Amino acid sequence: MQQPRLRMRLGDLLVHENVINDEQLQQALSAQKNSGRKLGTTLIDLGLVSEHNLLAFLAQQLNVPMMDIGAIRLEADTVNLIPEMQARRYRALAIEETDGHIVVGMSDPADLAALDALAATLPKPIKVAVVKESQLLEAFDNHYRRTEEIASFAQELASEYKDEVEFDFMSGVSGEEDTAVARLLQSIFEDAVQLQASDIHIEPDVGMLRIRQRIDGVLQENIIRERNIAAALVLRLKLMSGLDISEKRLPQDGRTSIKVQGHTIDVRLSTMPVQNGESVVMRLLDQSAGLLELEQVGMPAAILARFRTLLKRPHGMILVTGPTGSGKTTTLYAGLAELNKPGVKIITIEDPVEYRLPRINQVQTYNRIGLDFANVLRTSLRQDPDIIMVGEMRDNETVEIGLRGALTGHLVLSTLHTNDAISSAVRLLDMGAPGYLVATSLRAILAQRLIRKICENCKTDYTLAADERFWMQNISPAAGDIHFKVGRGCQTCNNTGYKGRIGVFELLEMTEPMMDALKRSDTSAFSDAAKANKNYINLAKAALEYAEKGVTTVDEILRLVEMVADSSDELTPTTDANTDIKGASGLTLELE
């Protein structure tokens, strides 16, 4: 390996090349003595030179390339050629492997000790490239994660238990066994928080244990071969959540709070008996992040203005609808935070209470003792509230009490699990609510979804296939003129092509024709009247607007269309001949 070498010390070289002056060098050397950090980092921290200019200077002096790895698709096998501990210590990343050498990105390519250590580790000669330290740290978090650490702790725990753990034995677990379980769980939680996962799934299977994390709405899987540790993990989680550790035959729900990497995480835990043991799903809620404001929820300006106007009304019912994980509760909490004033009494009925809000009376339902939504809602109306939030409209009794409360001078906010805004009003009728009551109480329905955003680092142009163009033009005839984008996959987005999510909203406000149709319980007339409303834009068209701006992909739009197609005949195309159309998302329908 030919190691790059500077002819003189970095500080002297920078002064010699007039990048900094001698006074600035002495200032940096003095600061370096106090911090113990490298001179280059100290110069950047003091603002005497930018990171880009310093790295470009080093690349020129050492005659090595400067690389932007943000848009490069890194392969796990190549990255793992350098163990995580060494990578983080030397700020070095294996970027590419060829027949003759390995390209290693470094933030300090003049660190000869690091180069010697890496040369002894890697199986091929090294070619050095200069890379920003911030990009290296991001790559470490994305690629190394804690997979090896989790596997190591799992092996350690498995060595303690040759067979499946019995609950009577584990009920008094302590010492090394308990420490091993705790370290394994700590690593699992740290990995999830690092990747901003919303859920952790622990699923026992034949000969293995699957740990899956939901990131940006999609599950990513990690396999642990030590199947016999499953019961120990479940037991520890049950103890943390205050559940019955002796009960393995029935589902249980619990809650706990943990602190990970400076974040206070609220964990909602659900267990369920499955064929190979007990499955555990944990919903993670970062209390440290705080509540979002309505501007941060992601509503388009026009919908946000109309939604705010609706929240200021003194009475009526407003529904926020969508499937689990679509952000309904986040939107409602953002609205409540805006309404939360000293002169307004607000009561919430939830299962569970997700955020603690000052001045608001929050009630946790508890069905075992009869403290269900209907009973709490009935009592809440006697507490002289101005605003009531009901976590979910689950049954006929809750729906009818909520509607009557909205009719008698209260603003009632609630959620409903439906596909879109139009089907939500129909669902209330299906649940047994009288048409006249729905018509006079319901003010508006906000339907929402979360779709994935294209990674900005690897965004590129995308040409529609014929079947995709067919579906897009069915949503909007102008879709054929849109220049679509897609993510190639890079280290920033963990090779998925997506980074983050954004909300898609449709707001349906009641009009006279819609209310007349509801009074007659005429669902067909209601649907026609809703679609005729000039202010109503359905979810698919709203998502298409994001695609037009280069925010999301065709796949995400088609995935959303699949979810709402059953309730929107507007998205069911017709042709003269039988045609089998399959979109990029795998959507297959027979068109007649």
Side-chain angles (χ1 to χ4, degrees), residues 104-118:
V104 176
M106 299 180 68
S107 60
D108 183 6
D111 188 339
L112 301 182
L115 285 168
D116 290 338
L118 292 169

Side-chain angles (χ1 to χ4, degrees), residues 382-401:
R382 305 190 193 107
Q383 292 280 311
D384 188 29
D386 297 293
I387 300 168
I388 301 173
M389 188 193 88
V390 184
E392 183 184 347
M393 291 293 175
R394 292 186 175 180
D395 54 61
N396 170 260
E397 189 177 9
T398 305
V399 169
E400 193 157 338
I401 296 172

Side-chain angles (χ1 to χ4, degrees), residues 187-358:
S187 294
I188 291 172
F189 282 122
E190 286 179 352
D191 190 42
V193 170
Q194 179 176 299
L195 296 173
Q196 299 180 330
S198 60
D199 302 83
I200 301 174
H201 297 236
I202 298 177
E203 303 168 341
D205 205 339
V206 178
M208 69 180 67
L209 180 66
R210 300 181 191 275
I211 297 180
R212 302 199 284 175
Q213 299 167 327
R214 191 173 295 280
I215 302 168
D216 290 340
V218 178
L219 287 171
Q220 297 184 13
E221 186 173 84
N222 183 21
I223 301 294
I224 293 179
R225 297 297 174 185
E226 292 74 20
R227 163 70 179 80
N228 60 323
I229 69 171
L233 282 179
V234 173
L235 172 76
R236 180 61 181 247
L237 290 169
K238 282 184 174 181
L239 288 171
M240 290 168 58
S241 306
L243 302 182
D244 184 355
I245 63 174
S246 64
E247 180 56 76
K248 296 188 289 183
R249 301 164 301 171
L250 297 174
Q252 296 187 69
D253 295 318
R255 185 172 189 161
T256 187
S257 184
I258 60 174
K259 194 158 188 177
V260 181
Q261 299 178 349
H263 296 257
T264 301
I265 307 295
D266 204 11
V267 182
R268 288 163 48 188
L269 181 142
S270 172
T271 70
M272 183 175 68
V274 293
Q275 187 175 11
N276 297 294
E278 284 184 278
S279 169
V280 177
V281 176
M282 292 175 282
R283 169 67 56 88
L284 307 182
L285 189 67
D286 189 351
Q287 295 285 352
S288 305
L291 285 175
L292 294 180
E293 297 179 357
L294 275 176
E295 288 85 356
Q296 299 172 304
V297 171
M299 290 186 199
I303 291 181
L304 177 60
R306 289 159 56 200
F307 189 64
R308 274 203 166 111
T309 300
L310 289 164
L311 289 175
K312 292 176 182 177
R313 291 188 176 182
H315 57 83
M317 176 179 284
I318 301 172
L319 290 176
V320 180
T321 72
T324 300
S326 59
K328 301 184 298 296
T329 304
T330 299
T331 299
L332 281 179
Y333 271 114
L336 286 178
E338 195 160 298
L339 295 170
N340 189 10
K341 303 289 191 303
V344 179
K345 176 154 185 174
I346 302 174
I347 297 175
T348 71
I349 308 161
E350 306 172 65
D351 181 23
V353 175
E354 295 196 11
Y355 287 98
R356 276 70 171 177
L357 301 172

Side-chain angles (χ1 to χ4, degrees), residues 411-567:
L411 179 63
V412 179
L413 309 176
S414 189
T415 69
L416 200 62
H417 286 84
T418 52
N419 286 331
D420 60 3
I422 293 176
S423 63
S424 299
V426 176
R427 176 68 59 83
L428 294 179
L429 297 176
D430 290 342
M431 293 174 74
Y436 73 89
L437 193 56
V438 178
T440 52
S441 300
L442 188 61
R443 293 287 176 266
I445 304 166
L446 178 74
Q448 65 181 75
R449 292 287 190 284
L450 292 175
I451 59 173
R452 292 182 292 173
K453 298 194 298 182
I454 303 172
C455 174
E456 291 294 330
N457 274 326
C458 59
K459 184 187 293 186
T460 187
D461 292 332
Y462 179 74
T463 302
L464 291 178
D467 50 357
E468 292 170 334
R469 184 177 297 276
F470 178 85
W471 280 103
M472 292 300 102
Q473 289 180 331
N474 185 68
I475 296 172
S476 171
D481 299 325
I482 295 175
H483 299 290
F484 290 93
K485 302 287 184 179
V486 71
R488 293 189 307 270
C490 64
Q491 66 96 4
T492 299
C493 60
N494 202 21
N495 294 329
T496 63
Y498 297 96
K499 186 72 172 178
R501 290 190 292 176
I502 192 169
V504 179
F505 302 86
E506 65 176 25
L507 180 61
L508 181 64
E509 297 178 78
M510 295 301 108
T511 61
E512 287 296 333
M514 283 188 271
M515 289 190 285
D516 288 341
L518 288 174
K519 288 176 185 177
R520 303 191 307 272
S521 296
D522 188 340
T523 57
S524 178
F526 172 79
S527 179
D528 292 340
K531 292 172 185 175
N533 186 344
K534 63 179 182 179
N535 291 323
Y536 173 67
I537 299 174
N538 66 35
L539 287 166
K541 290 180 180 176
L544 189 60
E545 290 180 4
Y546 280 126
E548 188 172 7
K549 297 173 183 176
V551 175
T552 194
T553 64
V554 172
D555 273 353
E556 283 297 284
I557 297 173
L558 291 176
R559 190 163 68 95
L560 184 147
V561 168
E562 289 183 54
M563 300 175 70
V564 300
D566 291 340
S567 59

Side-chain angles (χ1 to χ4, degrees), residues 371-382:
L371 196 67
D372 56 23
F373 278 103
N375 286 332
V376 179
L377 180 55
R378 190 180 295 108
T379 304
S380 297
L381 293 173
R382 305 190 193 107

